[in-house]
Amino acid sequence: MTGYIELEDKTRFNGVSFGAGTSVSGEVVFNTGMVGYPESLTDPSYKGQILVLTYPLIGNYGVPADERDSFGLSRHFESDKIQASGLIIADYSPDYSHWKAAKSLSEWLKEHNIPAIHGVDTRALTKKLREKGVMLGKLTVSNKDAPIDDPNKRNLVAEVSVKKKIVYNEKGSRKILLVDCGVKNSIIRNLAERNCTVIRVPWDYDFTRETFDGMVISNGPGDPKMCRETIRNVASAMKLEMPIFGICLGNQILALAAGGDTYKLKYGHRGQNQPCSNIQTKRCYITSQNHGFAVNMKKMPSGWEESFINANDGTNEGLRHRNKPFFSVQFHPEATPGPVDAGFLFDEFLGMMK
Amino acid sequence: MEKTEIKKILILGSGALSIGQGGEFDYSGAQAEKSLREEGIEVVLVNANIATVQSDEKMADKVYFLPITPEFVEKIIKKERPEGILLGFGGQTALNCGVALHDSGVLGKYGVKVLGTPVEAIKATEDRELFVKKLSEIGLKTPKSHAVNKIADAITAANKLGYPVMIRAAYALGGLGSGLCRNDSDIIETAAQAFSNSPQILVEEYLEHWKEIEYEVVRDAYDNCITVCNMENLDPMGIHTGDSIVVAPSQTLDNKEYHNLREISIKLIRHLGIVGECNIQYALGKESDDYRIIEVNARLSRSSALASKATGYPLAFVAAKLALGYSLAEIKNSITQKTVACFEPALDYVVVKIPRWDLKKFRHVSRNIGSSMKSVGEVMAIGRTFEEAIQKAVRMLDIRAHGLVGNDFSYDVDKELESPTDERLFAVVQALMEGYSIELIHKKTGIGKWFLHKIANVIETEKQLISYGPAPEILERAKKQGFSDKQISVITGVPFSEIRQIRKENNIVPFVKQIDTLAAEYPAVTNYLYFTYNATEHDIDFISKKKKVIVIGSGVYRIGSSVEFDWCCVNSVRALRNIGYETIMINYNPETVSTDYDVCDKLYFDEISAETVMDIYGLEQPEGVIISMGGQIPNNIAMKLSSAGVKILGTSAESIDRAEDRQKFSKMLDKLNIDQPKWKELTNINDATEFAKNAGYPVLVRPSYVLSGAAMNIAFNDNDLELYLTKASKVSSEYPVVISKFIINAKEIELDAVADNGKITLFAVTEHIENAGTHSGDATMVFPAKKIYTETSRQIEDIARRIASELKITGPFNIQFLARDNEIKVIECNLRASRSFPFVSKISGKNFAEISTNVIAGKSHEDHGDASAGVSFAGVKSPQFSFARLKGADPIASVEMASTGEVACLGKNVYDAYLKAIIAAGSKLPKKNILVSIGGDKSRYKFLPFAKILDNAGFKLFSTEHTGLFLGENGISSTILYKVHENKSPNIIEFLNGTNGNKLELVINIPSAFTQEELDDEYVIRRKAADFSIPLITNLQLARMLAEAITSVKESELEIKPRDEY
């Protein structure tokens, strides 16, 4: 069965279908990580996006079974389903091999009704996206193609956020309010493993009645400006002057809540090799990233400073309030997939609570 | 940030190429030089490997062609007074030498600062006990292991761990002296050998079939850490990583495994305090997250060179900058010129490395591979599917394999799977074809099932090709899986040209992709390219304002072709760039400088085959192709390229054929009235024996178009002859085999030259110390020649002029002559650069590769004449053998080349240069104990005066029975030792292994004649000498040379001068 991806500008790449037989449309983005397709595909930040993996050989180690850890979190996946709308790769390995594998990538995609094609010159496709910026596209694997739909016009955060409050690790020594804009399981796990009780609440949750020691604003998909309720709630939480830690979309929401601004990057940062420099120490960290928007540092109000920048293109990678316990990073300290070098930020956050 | 204020730095090279220490260190040293010199730092290099690019005068301010030993380096330090020293760019040789200089206080005494990784950190990686202790401090796991200093303790330790166990020598490279032991007696044997290389050995748990994974890790002085690349061995634990097929990046690790090992790597490099680069080897549990850290190399390594080429990240260049105090974030990514070096490359292709062995060249050698490295080179292939990359890589080995399939190899599959040899990969293919299940093969070999499935895909495609022929859809599938046109032609029986035509008609063509370190995320200016059929567009256009020239590289290193041809290629490219050409390099050897993307304007890291060269030629439309720099591989495709319409620059393909084709060449010499040994083309065995009878044995069997005497053999009788003829016709089935009279007791002389349209414009005459019979690659060479009659020189020049004119040579060439009593015979002629080009170039100061290139390009017609004019000193080139690593191999030089590398030293006279050269090739000069064992009274008689010299000089001579009696009769006393099998004392073995505290320091063992098999006793003496690292001389002329040299020049008075002071 053949399939193809057609971009807004009518560029078409043919391939062979190995996922579900449903055609979709979405924003086409590329990720340069060489491992971690089960983690990436279940990352809610990919909601509404068709994912292109630049590493050509995919499916090699199959897909693990959905096991739960002691906090009830999925051990191998970042959420309870595949979040990306579709997958495009170069060379699929149907004959996977790994002791953890329970099924093939193809079987897993089909289970989740996610279309995928292989046999695509993903480098050519990536160059196209790099030169023209991310584009909408249609992944067609059946006789019927899907109508073009711009996911950025939807409130994607509302689609992926939890619907009701969930509490993890109730006996933790500190209470963290986690605003779920599409949170990855690894963020929850990183907090719970550090002996925190995690109160995971929906993106628009009114948390004025909750008691907690610190707040985390999670990662998530799409344009941060769509999260008006979250921005408003965070702005009011800032008045409490308790520690706030934003991750990825959380970085952008914190900026907007502080009165700053965000903008859309041409093609974003998605990968596991993004160097981020700490402005003060000059130390450079290799980080895992997945974002299409960024904070406009020029528009940040006084009292805020840039903590990290991207060593490659100089874009903002983190904010810090000069005298209040608020900070955030654009990259993913929880990794998964990707390097774990920035995991110490969770400790810094907890350190603020004393 | 504080940078070092240092203005002068000493770099230690790695010396001759040997097994375990190959061309990769020319690459890393050359990168370090570039990196330092662009900072304005004065660079002093010590390296007797004269064939390297790093020792070019353009690369360093001062070059010492001297041994990398503490004694010599101390003298250089005293003379040069460098402020800093780099130990991490010359392999284990440089590291060991540097640590010794540090420990003896020499570095402190002269105020030389070790830059980069501190010595303490190096020691923590080299001393096993310290290593284990250091790692356990931060809770990292190493194999359960016991360091012992005695054999008895090794046995105790092994029993404690439980068999099987691994024995490893500390402070040794390439797994030298290591081995698997299944019982006490295995330990006794392996440990004795390991102890001869190292005072300490390790007895370790054996992690059979665990996955073997490597990480290349970088840290700067400010604690920024990155892992540049990880690699997975297709051959799991049990086979040395240097002998393993390696894939980058890892293919079967999930995110957790990949990043867990990455995190450990960073913890480790921080804890050790490394500044620069290191390589970490892991064993990863077969069905668990469990791991062991096997080894850390706190220096640039073979793996780091591979990782640099695999990712485009210049590890050595960056490591040198870090040693100066730069931070990673301050260094630019030289590929993008936009992003920083503090990042981890994202690959969008897969890389496969396969080792190249040359075990067929050795008698008695075990072909099994295991924990001790035996390969002499490696290839790297790039593709966008694993199948594409591995099939390319297999062809690059140049072992007459068309790919994974389509070969006429045949194996005892069960035996190969049980005990792997250098050809295991093909046995796995055969097993799959014969219906062995993937499960079973996996169980027997430990090779991951994912890899086996991929190999099975290739076999499936072959079946389709057989069933349906080259139908477009199947052809496309095959090309995406890396089948070559030739391979498809062999499988389907459809001619090569037709396959190519079907392909073109159906638009099945390869596309050019860039290696850009960032998977296309940022625009890159990179010129580092490869071909893939798994693509739909080119990354580059092929338009250029400049005229282009392609230089074809030397391909895989093997015995007879290594760094010297890379030197020629690099110098040729430089010359072309200087005269304004856009240069295009084609090569696939990750150990080379020519595959550095800043050497040329465009680098195609891909196959050197008629198909690939024609594809590149078609796209790039160059002025022409230079095939005369890369040695035999490009030479061999000359005719194919030429007949396909590719313009060969320089000497024509037809002329090359007239020189390579033994029959045509011999006929031409007859026509020109140039003397040559009696010869005959092989037609059938009867004719051959008839010829041998008339000419008289011994006769030499010589195939055409071969390098380093492959399958060249001396036959002493009819049986030999028949055996060798069969062997030879197998090696070059397409070309004639010739037999000729083998002339003994003749001097061998070589001429390296450049000709311009048939007229010689530059030449150098070199003499061999060994008489004819020792392959020129194994011979000790002297330049300028000292012992040649004027009449001989005159004749040689005259013959060379006639040959050059007849073949209308334009460019480099080399002729080998035999001389006896002013009778000159031609034995061979190669219309390409030769192995000795860098040697004669660097001694004479006339760059033969550059001058050849200028002639080929029509840029210069200057007559340079005799290169030796004005050279008032001596240059001596000595071979480096790697017999110690080749278990069982008979360590004797013969007509088939056996050395893996070479060194050359300059000196005030031949003795001075010769002694330095043999020290540089790893020998220690004897102080006292010398064993003399010479076959045949004729040779004994010839050696007699030199035995007297040694005796008079106070050496203690030992001998075997006949030699001892002969010496005694002639008034020279020696202690006669019993042979090994006689089991009586004093026995040779005690003096060889030194158990009696009176170890031999030199063994002179001259076999009586070139018989096919030497007596067992003789073989045992030679073999044990190699096993116990005792210098061995097996040639009468060399023995004489050594005797004269050590008695006329004192070791302490050997001259210490850089190249430019001669």
Side-chain angles (χ1 to χ4, degrees):
Chain A
M1 183 70 191
T2 58
Y4 63 87
I5 173 77
E6 190 178 287
L7 301 174
E8 269 176 88
D9 69 352
K10 301 294 171 207
T11 317
R12 188 194 273 211
F13 291 87
N14 293 320
V16 178
S17 169
F18 70 105
T22 335
S23 300
V24 294
S25 82
E27 187 178 46
V28 185
V29 299
F30 65 89
N31 183 308
T32 64
M34 299 185 287
V35 284
Y37 54 84
E39 291 85 351
S40 289
L41 286 168
T42 52
D43 177 350
S45 298
Y46 283 113
K47 186 72 193 175
Q49 294 177 330
I50 295 170
L51 181 59
V52 181
L53 296 178
T54 62
Y55 188 67
L57 285 68
I58 299 295
N60 304 8
Y61 52 84
V63 176
D66 189 9
E67 298 161 14
R68 301 277 148 172
D69 66 10
S70 57
F71 307 112
L73 294 164
S74 173
R75 201 185 284 281
H76 307 297
F77 305 126
E78 287 305 313
S79 67
D80 55 7
K81 61 177 183 194
I82 299 180
Q83 301 283 359
S85 308
L87 178 66
I88 298 167
I89 63 164
D91 185 32
Y92 173 60
S93 285
D95 300 305
Y96 62 93
S97 172
H98 198 279
W99 58 276
K100 282 183 219 160
K103 60 188 81 158
S104 72
L105 175 58
S106 169
E107 287 165 326
W108 189 51
L109 289 163
K110 284 174 185 162
E111 262 173 39
H112 288 260
N113 199 30
I114 304 295
I117 54 171
H118 69 92
V120 171
D121 184 345
T122 45
R123 184 174 168 87
L125 174 53
T126 299
K127 281 175 70 186
K128 189 108 215 160
L129 298 175
R130 178 189 83 202
E131 280 151 19
K132 298 208 166 172
V134 284
M135 277 184 265
L136 299 178
K138 291 196 280 194
L139 175 55
T140 307
V141 291
S142 57
N143 299 332
K144 227 176 89 185
D145 64 354
I148 273 286
D149 166 40
D150 185 351
N152 292 311
K153 291 185 178 145
R154 293 175 3 221
N155 187 341
L156 295 168
V157 166
E159 292 177 30
V160 294
S161 178
V162 74
K163 301 293 175 256
K164 276 194 302 200
K165 178 171 92 174
I166 307 174
V167 180
Y168 300 87
N169 194 27
E170 292 201 42
K171 288 178 194 141
S173 63
R174 275 174 288 219
K175 278 190 181 171
I176 306 297
L177 186 95
L178 171 68
V179 183
D180 176 7
C181 300
V183 71
K184 286 166 68 186
N185 282 331
S186 295
I187 294 181
I188 306 173
R189 186 180 297 112
N190 260 286
L191 293 165
E193 278 175 346
R194 285 173 171 82
N195 200 17
C196 295
T197 295
V198 181
I199 307 158
R200 176 185 184 179
V201 299
W203 68 286
D204 55 352
Y205 187 77
D206 177 8
F207 42 76
T208 44
R209 303 268 162 96
E210 296 282 342
T211 58
F212 50 91
D213 304 305
M215 177 196 277
V216 170
I217 314 161
S218 85
N219 65 299
D223 186 342
K225 290 176 184 164
M226 301 292 274
C227 307
R228 278 182 220 100
E229 291 83 344
T230 321
I231 295 165
R232 198 176 57 223
N233 290 345
V234 170
S236 64
M238 282 161 73
K239 290 175 193 143
L240 302 173
E241 297 204 2
M242 70 166 55
I244 300 177
F245 180 22
I247 295 173
C248 195
L249 185 75
N251 182 51
Q252 297 154 15
I253 287 175
L254 192 63
L256 293 169
D261 195 13
T262 57
Y263 63 100
K264 190 166 193 206
L265 293 166
K266 194 171 172 190
Y267 49 90
H269 296 141
R270 291 175 190 86
Q272 302 171 16
N273 65 343
Q274 296 283 337
C276 291
S277 291
N278 181 315
I279 299 276
Q280 273 180 338
T281 65
K282 305 283 181 215
R283 278 286 301 280
C284 189
Y285 301 90
I286 305 300
T287 67
S288 180
Q289 302 209 0
N290 176 13
H291 64 105
F293 290 82
V295 171
N296 182 348
M297 210 46 221
K298 287 184 197 132
K299 300 243 176 101
M300 280 309 285
S302 63
W304 289 86
E305 62 185 10
E306 196 162 38
S307 56
F308 288 94
I309 57 160
N310 188 302
N312 281 339
D313 62 12
T315 55
N316 173 262
E317 292 286 0
L319 301 169
R320 189 176 287 274
H321 196 278
R322 286 184 204 275
N323 40 41
K324 290 176 188 168
F326 311 147
F327 78 110
S328 56
V329 287
Q330 189 57 57
F331 50 87
H332 288 267
E334 81 285 2
T336 338
V340 297
D341 301 5
F344 66 90
L345 290 169
F346 287 104
D347 299 313
E348 280 191 10
F349 172 56
L350 297 183
M352 286 175 163
M353 288 169 225
K354 288 284 174 301
Chain B
M1 246 161 268
E2 214 177 299
K3 301 289 172 311
T4 171
E5 293 296 302
I6 284 175
K7 295 272 170 274
K8 187 173 187 177
I9 291 177
L10 177 66
I11 300 179
L12 301 184
S14 64
L17 269 61
S18 61
I19 292 178
Q21 199 157 274
E24 61 270 16
F25 298 110
D26 188 21
Y27 161 70
S28 52
Q31 287 240 319
E33 289 170 333
K34 279 183 211 169
S35 185
L36 299 182
R37 289 185 92 199
E38 71 172 29
E39 301 289 327
I41 291 168
E42 188 181 346
V43 172
V44 181
L45 173 78
V46 190
N47 194 356
N49 191 339
I50 203 158
T52 52
V53 174
Q54 61 179 257
S55 62
D56 267 6
E57 56 180 353
K58 294 185 193 85
M59 298 296 291
D61 296 279
K62 288 226 177 293
V63 178
Y64 284 85
F65 291 109
L66 286 175
I68 303 148
T69 63
E71 299 76 28
F72 280 93
V73 176
E74 178 175 359
K75 289 176 183 168
I76 294 165
I77 288 174
K78 197 173 160 191
K79 191 170 159 144
E80 292 288 340
R81 302 305 299 260
E83 301 149 85
I85 187 167
L86 289 177
L87 310 179
F89 297 83
Q92 198 68 32
T93 303
L95 210 61
N96 288 352
C97 181
V99 169
L101 287 167
H102 172 268
D103 287 353
S104 65
V106 169
L107 298 182
K109 183 177 162 194
Y110 294 99
V112 185
K113 199 175 160 214
V114 174
L115 303 174
T117 301
V119 172
E120 290 319 310
I122 294 172
K123 284 186 176 173
T125 61
E126 294 283 315
D127 179 313
R128 201 63 188 182
E129 222 170 333
L130 201 58
F131 178 68
V132 172
K133 189 175 145 269
K134 205 75 184 153
L135 265 59
S136 65
E137 284 169 9
I138 50 168
L140 298 182
K141 292 186 188 173
T142 48
K144 288 172 201 144
S145 158
H146 299 276
V148 297
N149 302 309
K150 286 208 299 274
I151 293 183
D153 295 348
I155 294 173
T156 317
N159 284 291
K160 214 189 284 175
L161 286 171
Y163 285 105
V165 296
M166 275 301 288
I167 296 274
R168 292 149 60 86
Y171 285 99
L173 61 123
L176 184 63
S178 67
L180 178 64
C181 298
R182 298 198 183 268
N183 51 48
D184 289 359
S185 64
D186 283 359
I187 296 251
I188 293 168
E189 194 185 321
T190 313
Q193 224 194 87
F195 276 127
S196 74
N197 293 306
S198 163
Q200 189 191 60
I201 64 161
L202 311 152
V203 185
E204 288 184 354
E205 69 175 314
Y206 183 48
L207 304 163
E208 189 166 30
H209 293 175
W210 284 41
K211 286 183 183 181
E212 195 168 347
I213 311 290
E214 293 179 71
Y215 278 72
E216 298 301 320
V217 199
V218 177
R219 177 177 174 269
D220 67 19
Y222 314 94
D223 219 14
N224 295 310
C225 299
I226 56 169
T227 61
V228 165
C229 184
N230 89 336
M231 294 176 268
E232 176 172 7
N233 289 11
L234 179 141
D235 303 290
M237 288 294 289
I239 293 178
H240 190 279
T241 179
D243 274 1
S244 293
I245 298 172
V246 174
V247 181
S250 63
Q251 295 302 319
T252 70
L253 269 57
D254 65 11
N255 178 69
K256 188 169 176 200
E257 292 164 326
Y258 181 105
H259 285 288
N260 187 34
L261 295 183
R262 181 189 172 280
E263 190 187 5
I264 292 168
S265 303
I266 288 175
K267 257 189 206 160
L268 178 56
I269 194 172
R270 284 192 170 136
H271 186 64
L272 292 174
I274 283 162
V275 177
E277 204 269 349
C278 82
N279 154 270
I280 305 178
Q281 285 173 36
Y282 294 96
L284 179 66
K286 281 180 278 189
E287 298 215 333
S288 72
D289 291 330
D290 203 6
Y291 74 91
R292 299 282 187 280
I293 297 168
I294 303 300
E295 193 175 291
V296 174
N297 287 305
R299 55 170 171 82
L300 279 302
S301 61
R302 175 180 47 259
S303 297
S304 70
L306 181 65
S308 296
K309 304 293 180 182
T311 60
Y313 191 102
L315 277 165
F317 184 87
V318 169
K321 287 272 192 271
L322 300 183
L324 297 177
Y326 279 93
S327 90
L328 274 169
E330 288 173 312
I331 305 167
K332 254 192 198 159
N333 176 341
S334 41
I335 286 239
T336 60
Q337 296 290 345
K338 281 192 176 147
T339 57
V340 292
C342 188
F343 80 108
E344 300 187 352
L347 281 57
D348 58 4
Y349 48 87
V350 59
V351 161
V352 175
K353 168 216 116 174
I354 305 185
R356 170 62 149 84
W357 292 270
D358 232 340
L359 297 171
K360 283 181 184 157
K361 287 201 176 289
F362 301 94
R363 276 198 297 170
H364 292 304
V365 77
S366 154
R367 287 184 59 188
N368 284 111
I369 54 170
S371 56
S372 187
M373 181 172 163
K374 289 183 176 174
S375 59
V376 291
E378 60 187 33
V379 301
M380 183 183 109
I382 308 167
R384 278 177 57 87
T385 64
F386 175 76
E387 296 90 332
E388 182 173 54
I390 195 169
Q391 289 227 84
K392 277 190 193 183
V394 166
R395 284 192 292 276
M396 289 170 175
L397 292 171
D398 196 34
I399 52 170
R400 298 190 313 282
H402 297 300
L404 286 175
V405 297
N407 308 310
D408 54 358
F409 308 154
S410 169
Y411 302 92
D412 178 342
V413 168
D414 288 315
K415 202 173 141 208
E416 280 282 336
L417 297 187
E418 293 292 343
S419 48
T421 70
D422 53 334
E423 294 180 10
R424 169 158 89 171
L425 180 62
F426 300 105
V428 166
V429 171
Q430 189 182 331
L432 285 166
M433 283 175 170
E434 288 176 7
Y436 283 59
S437 71
I438 282 178
E439 195 61 48
L440 180 67
I441 300 171
H442 168 63
K443 216 169 139 193
K444 281 178 178 259
T445 61
I447 297 174
K449 284 184 256 180
W450 183 84
F451 295 107
L452 295 171
H453 278 295
K454 293 284 177 190
I455 294 171
N457 287 345
V458 173
I459 295 170
E460 180 55 37
T461 302
E462 186 199 24
K463 279 186 198 154
Q464 292 191 13
L465 281 168
I466 293 168
S467 307
Y468 306 106
E473 320 79 72
I474 299 164
L475 200 55
E476 186 175 358
R477 174 184 155 126
K479 293 307 282 185
K480 282 179 191 289
Q481 291 184 353
F483 283 74
S484 73
D485 289 354
K486 179 84 190 287
Q487 188 181 14
I488 296 168
S489 158
V490 167
I491 292 167
T492 58
V494 177
F496 171 82
S497 53
E498 219 170 291
I499 300 283
R500 212 174 155 79
Q501 203 187 331
I502 303 173
R503 261 205 312 111
K504 297 245 153 122
E505 281 166 9
N506 289 279
N507 219 8
I508 304 168
V509 291
F511 290 93
V512 177
K513 293 284 180 192
Q514 292 170 305
I515 287 184
D516 67 3
T517 71
L518 287 164
E521 187 183 354
Y522 286 88
V525 292
T526 172
N527 57 359
Y528 185 4
L529 311 166
Y530 69 98
F531 270 134
T532 179
Y533 280 83
N534 295 282
T536 48
E537 67 169 40
H538 293 299
D539 269 357
I540 55 166
D541 59 42
F542 303 93
I543 302 156
S544 174
K545 282 184 198 131
K546 289 185 186 172
K547 288 180 175 173
K548 305 174 187 174
V549 172
I550 294 177
V551 176
I552 301 184
S554 59
V556 62
Y557 286 177
R558 83 294 295 276
I559 289 176
S561 174
S562 63
V563 65
E564 57 277 356
F565 293 112
D566 198 53
W567 178 87
C568 291
C569 292
V570 169
N571 276 279
S572 179
V573 166
R574 277 191 194 142
L576 290 167
R577 282 182 114 173
N578 279 343
I579 49 182
Y581 282 102
E582 177 175 319
T583 53
I584 298 168
M585 182 77 216
I586 309 175
N587 199 4
Y588 55 76
N589 183 336
E591 306 174 86
T592 56
V593 177
S594 63
T595 53
D596 244 3
Y597 43 79
D598 60 352
V599 163
C600 53
D601 296 302
K602 267 184 191 159
L603 167 64
Y604 281 88
F605 203 104
D606 220 301
E607 289 180 70
I608 299 174
S609 64
E611 177 181 344
T612 308
V613 174
M614 277 153 65
D615 285 339
I616 296 170
Y617 190 86
L619 291 168
E620 295 283 358
Q621 303 284 331
E623 294 288 292
V625 179
I626 293 183
I627 55 157
S628 51
M629 293 295 162
Q632 198 63 36
I633 291 181
N635 227 29
N636 285 359
I637 54 171
M639 280 301 268
K640 278 182 205 146
L641 292 178
S642 172
S643 52
V646 171
K647 183 158 192 312
I648 306 289
L649 298 178
T651 311
S652 72
E654 290 68 28
S655 289
I656 293 170
D657 188 51
R658 284 179 74 194
E660 289 287 341
D661 184 311
R662 299 272 186 203
Q663 190 203 3
K664 288 183 188 164
F665 183 64
S666 285
K667 277 190 178 159
M668 183 192 85
L669 291 182
D670 284 349
K671 186 191 113 185
L672 293 177
N673 235 338
I674 294 171
D675 198 10
Q676 59 181 321
K678 277 189 198 135
W679 68 280
K680 187 168 181 26
E681 189 199 349
L682 167 76
T683 41
N684 59 56
I685 187 72
N686 290 338
D687 280 5
T689 43
E690 186 65 29
F691 168 82
K693 207 169 286 165
N694 290 338
Y697 281 104
V699 295
L700 191 62
V701 179
R702 310 199 298 172
S704 300
Y705 279 101
V706 297
L707 174 86
S708 66
M712 189 137 101
N713 268 302
I714 306 167
F716 287 86
N717 51 49
D718 292 356
N719 282 348
D720 287 0
L721 187 61
E722 194 169 347
L723 178 73
Y724 298 151
L725 284 174
T726 326
K727 219 169 137 186
S729 53
K730 218 170 148 186
V731 168
S732 79
S733 51
E734 295 172 47
Y735 302 101
V737 177
V738 154
I739 48 176
S740 58
K741 168 77 185 153
F742 180 67
I743 295 170
I744 42 177
N745 295 331
K747 197 167 180 53
E748 201 165 332
I749 298 167
E750 287 194 40
L751 174 119
D752 287 318
V754 180
D756 184 358
N757 199 20
K759 184 176 160 286
I760 293 181
T761 56
L762 171 67
F763 68 94
V765 178
T766 328
E767 64 183 322
H768 292 195
I769 291 179
E770 297 87 342
N771 275 351
T774 298
H775 188 277
S776 70
D778 285 347
T780 308
M781 290 172 115
V782 180
F783 176 75
K786 302 279 174 191
K787 292 185 174 168
I788 297 181
Y789 301 114
T790 325
E791 172 57 19
T792 305
S793 300
R794 199 198 58 75
Q795 283 192 48
I796 283 173
E797 285 177 44
D798 175 58
I799 292 171
R801 285 184 207 293
R802 281 150 63 199
I803 292 178
S805 162
E806 173 70 17
L807 293 173
K808 295 195 184 58
I809 300 174
T810 295
F813 70 104
N814 162 278
I815 306 178
Q816 291 165 33
F817 301 91
L818 291 183
R820 199 162 72 174
D821 315 323
N822 271 335
E823 256 182 48
I824 311 296
K825 291 181 165 54
V826 169
I827 48 175
E828 178 147 354
C829 174
N830 294 303
L831 303 194
R832 53 167 170 81
S834 82
R835 201 175 293 113
S836 40
F837 261 43
F839 172 58
V840 296
S841 296
K842 287 183 192 179
I843 300 291
S844 69
K846 298 219 161 54
N847 190 322
F848 277 59
E850 182 187 318
I851 292 169
S852 301
T853 306
N854 285 338
V855 167
I856 290 170
K859 184 73 190 170
S860 162
H861 305 285
E862 192 185 338
D863 191 348
H864 301 269
D866 184 347
S868 72
V871 179
S872 57
F873 51 91
V876 173
K877 177 162 97 74
S878 270
Q880 165 87 44
F881 295 95
S882 296
F883 290 124
R885 294 187 160 274
L886 298 164
K887 210 170 178 177
D890 190 353
I892 188 164
S894 180
V895 279
E896 183 150 355
M897 184 171 162
S899 60
T900 53
E902 62 187 29
V903 291
C905 295
L906 286 66
K908 53 184 174 254
N909 56 40
V910 174
Y911 297 144
D912 181 51
Y914 173 70
L915 288 181
K916 288 188 285 199
I918 60 170
I919 297 170
S923 287
K924 282 200 179 96
L925 300 185
K927 302 263 184 295
K928 198 156 171 244
N929 296 343
I930 299 176
L931 174 75
V932 187
S933 165
I934 296 177
D937 276 351
K938 214 169 163 186
S939 295
R940 287 177 196 133
Y941 186 76
K942 281 188 182 163
F943 186 67
L944 198 56
F946 305 97
K948 270 188 189 139
I949 295 179
L950 291 173
D951 189 35
N952 290 341
F955 286 95
K956 172 127 184 65
L957 299 183
F958 295 84
S959 57
T960 47
E961 193 184 352
H962 295 291
T963 308
L965 292 174
F966 181 86
L967 291 175
E969 283 161 18
N970 288 282
I972 299 169
S973 64
S974 66
T975 310
I976 296 180
L977 302 178
Y978 287 102
K979 286 171 184 158
V980 179
H981 77 262
E982 288 175 317
N983 255 332
K984 273 194 281 187
S985 203
N987 195 289
I988 281 185
I989 193 77
E990 304 159 33
F991 289 83
L992 285 167
N993 64 22
T995 46
N996 63 358
N998 207 2
K999 197 172 170 176
L1000 293 169
E1001 294 159 309
L1002 172 68
V1003 172
I1004 298 175
N1005 174 265
I1006 317 288
S1008 48
F1010 292 95
T1011 53
Q1012 194 207 344
E1013 295 290 322
E1014 281 305 317
L1015 294 172
D1016 281 352
D1017 285 318
E1018 303 285 305
Y1019 162 71
V1020 169
I1021 293 173
R1022 291 193 293 269
R1023 188 57 231 172
K1024 292 291 171 190
D1027 287 342
F1028 295 112
S1029 307
I1030 302 168
L1032 170 70
I1033 285 185
T1034 59
N1035 176 281
L1036 187 63
Q1037 294 82 37
L1038 261 193
R1040 287 164 48 170
M1041 177 70 177
L1042 181 69
E1044 286 176 357
I1046 48 173
T1047 52
S1048 58
V1049 185
K1050 279 194 189 138
E1051 190 173 351
S1052 57
E1053 286 166 11
L1054 292 170
E1055 202 170 51
I1056 309 290
K1057 271 168 124 184
R1059 172 66 190 88
D1060 59 348
E1061 284 179 28
Y1062 280 98

